[in-house]
Amino acid sequence: MSYRWLEHTGELELEIGGSAETDVFEAALDALAELLARKPTGAPEHRDIIASAHDRPALLAAWLEELVFLAETEGYVAQRVVEIAVRTGEVSATLDGYRCEPRHLVKAVTYHNLVFGRDDRRWHARVVLDV
């Protein structure tokens, strides 16, 4: 499982790779946590989340949108996936995280250059965040 950030003017592009489909969702969470996290102000918390969409790339965008929403509205930054299940049109997960004053960097998860698929050996994805 891996990820890397590519910078654009006003945008950040995230490239993700993994040996399993769930690895892509986990790496996306790791990358977002790295981007938003600050020192915890509360005790660790478990959260259950569900995201749904019509196809795999949109599902990744919905996953990130849900994580950004929790950070922006509740100050909750997910740090780790405890359990995850990916089904057709839906991803559900139990997360470990904490409350903090997250960096307010992400304005939107875009569909520009959005990709999520599998080649012969690995899963790969790309998503652009408007910052």
Side-chain angles (χ1 to χ4, degrees):
M1 168 171 59
S2 65
Y3 67 86
R4 79 179 173 144
W5 290 106
L6 303 170
E7 293 188 46
H8 294 271
T9 304
E11 297 177 334
L12 284 174
E13 184 173 337
L14 176 61
E15 288 184 345
I16 309 166
S19 57
E21 183 178 25
T22 55
D23 290 347
V24 172
F25 290 95
E26 290 184 44
L29 180 143
D30 291 345
L32 194 62
E34 174 187 299
L35 186 66
L36 300 180
R38 292 199 176 175
K39 185 178 178 181
T41 58
E45 293 181 27
H46 287 299
R47 289 289 180 103
D48 294 322
I49 68 167
I50 297 174
S52 58
H54 62 281
D55 62 20
R56 187 174 283 115
L59 189 57
L60 177 60
W63 168 256
L64 286 167
E65 287 168 350
E66 184 65 24
L67 296 172
V68 169
F69 178 79
L70 288 172
E72 288 292 318
T73 61
E74 299 181 28
Y76 178 80
V77 176
Q79 292 291 297
R80 184 176 73 89
V81 173
V82 177
E83 283 185 51
I84 189 165
V86 179
R87 293 174 288 286
T88 302
E90 182 180 280
V91 58
S92 60
T94 300
L95 311 174
D96 276 342
Y98 58 84
R99 290 184 188 263
C100 66
E101 293 294 326
R103 292 178 184 92
H104 298 288
L105 297 175
V106 180
K107 295 178 192 173
V109 178
T110 76
Y111 284 70
H112 175 70
N113 288 336
L114 182 61
V115 175
F116 189 174
R118 180 178 168 85
D119 61 20
D120 292 337
R121 299 176 301 138
R122 294 181 51 84
W123 288 89
H124 56 88
R126 181 177 52 242
V127 62
V128 176
L129 305 178
D130 184 10
V131 295

